[in-house]
Amino acid sequence: NAGVTQTPKFRVLKTGQSMTLLCAQDMNHEYMYWYRQDPGMGLRLIHYSVGEGTTAKGEVPDGYNVSRLKKQNFLLGLESAAPSQTSVYFCASSYGPKQYFGPGTRLTVL
Amino acid sequence: GEDVEQSLFLSVREGDSSVINCTYTDSSSTYLYWYKQEPGAGLQLLTYIFSNMDMKQDQRLTVLLNKKDKHLSLRIADTQTGDSAIYFCAESMADRGSTLGRLYFGRGTQLTVWP
């Protein structure tokens, strides 16, 4: 099992550009999450999904959109990137009480 | 609220025990977690404890939970240089009408182990 994988690992964007981060899991988990981690901070929940075709807002959803068209994939989109979205983005999936995290995507917005 | 507080830094000598502390504010937490993050890596689940327990031991790791004081600690016995990392405390609470456990994280404690 690969667990939770994320692509890309690194990305640099200019202000106003758009991009999509892909998260994939091969554990057949229903629940998936997108978090962001900023320096000196814990992780904050952006959006989450309780199953294929469903999404919901977390603590910091503004400026992001998500889609869960397939159970194994959870996409995070930035329509018009801003410097405040420079961060490390982590995807996670869960079954029961355990959440499993991907390796992260480091995004820089200039 | 979902405030999770941790001290930011801890330094210990190799072979000593480390104790990382965490306080949380929401008494309706269902599970409490400890995650480890090494530089440039994702979060690795170390251990977790159900809120009706007061202790859990797993090899070198001991978790203590004081529900009255809303205090969680992680003790690492015989700390090694490979234990140097950031340790995050997190709590989860089931949303109403859902079994989803949303995680709320502390800022993390940087553990440095000196040889």
Side-chain angles (χ1 to χ4, degrees):
Chain A
N1 281 358
V4 180
T5 57
Q6 294 182 231
T7 52
K9 289 187 168 50
F10 302 95
R11 187 71 187 268
V12 178
L13 289 179
K14 293 182 180 177
T15 297
Q17 287 185 317
S18 63
M19 78 162 294
T20 301
L21 281 66
L22 171 63
C23 175
Q25 52 96 4
D26 61 3
M27 296 174 282
N28 203 35
H29 289 168
E30 289 291 340
Y31 297 163
M32 296 187 74
Y33 314 79
W34 275 107
Y35 294 88
R36 62 177 287 173
Q37 183 182 31
D38 299 302
M41 302 282 288
L43 277 69
R44 291 181 293 168
L45 183 65
I46 304 171
H47 285 281
Y48 62 98
S49 168
V50 300
E52 182 178 318
T54 72
T55 63
K57 294 180 180 180
E59 298 172 72
V60 289
D62 294 342
Y64 305 95
N65 56 75
V66 287
S67 64
R68 184 98 181 268
L69 298 178
K70 293 183 179 180
K71 186 177 183 179
Q72 64 268 32
N73 295 337
F74 195 27
L75 278 63
L76 178 72
L78 286 73
E79 288 188 351
S80 180
S84 61
Q85 294 177 303
T86 293
S87 189
V88 181
Y89 292 86
F90 289 100
C91 176
S93 68
S94 72
Y95 177 76
K98 295 183 184 181
Q99 279 195 26
Y100 299 88
F101 284 80
T105 295
R106 186 173 295 275
L107 176 66
T108 302
V109 183
L110 302 176
Chain B
E2 303 91 14
D3 292 334
V4 179
E5 300 285 341
Q6 306 178 234
S7 53
L8 295 181
F9 302 99
L10 176 66
S11 293
V12 300
R13 282 199 177 277
E14 192 173 23
D16 288 350
S17 291
S18 309
V19 179
I20 304 172
N21 295 300
C22 170
T23 57
Y24 59 98
T25 57
D26 201 310
S27 58
S28 60
S29 297
T30 51
Y31 289 92
L32 294 128
Y33 301 80
W34 285 105
Y35 281 87
K36 176 183 180 183
Q37 186 181 34
E38 295 182 79
L43 274 69
Q44 173 195 352
L45 177 62
L46 283 180
T47 187
Y48 65 99
I49 187 167
F50 189 48
S51 57
N52 70 352
M53 298 171 63
D54 51 21
M55 185 180 106
K56 182 177 180 182
Q57 189 154 2
D58 184 2
Q59 299 183 336
R60 292 190 298 123
L61 305 179
T62 302
V63 178
L64 295 178
L65 175 59
N66 181 329
K67 283 200 76 173
K68 176 175 166 290
D69 295 337
K70 298 190 183 70
H71 182 265
L72 181 75
S73 68
L74 173 70
R75 179 177 179 269
I76 305 173
D78 187 25
T79 314
Q80 302 297 306
T81 54
D83 294 323
S84 293
I86 300 176
Y87 290 80
F88 289 96
C89 171
E91 61 176 341
S92 80
M93 289 159 283
D95 283 349
R96 285 184 185 173
S98 164
T99 56
L100 175 70
R102 295 172 57 164
L103 289 187
Y104 297 91
F105 286 83
R107 292 187 171 198
T109 299
Q110 173 71 60
L111 173 65
T112 302
V113 183
W114 301 98

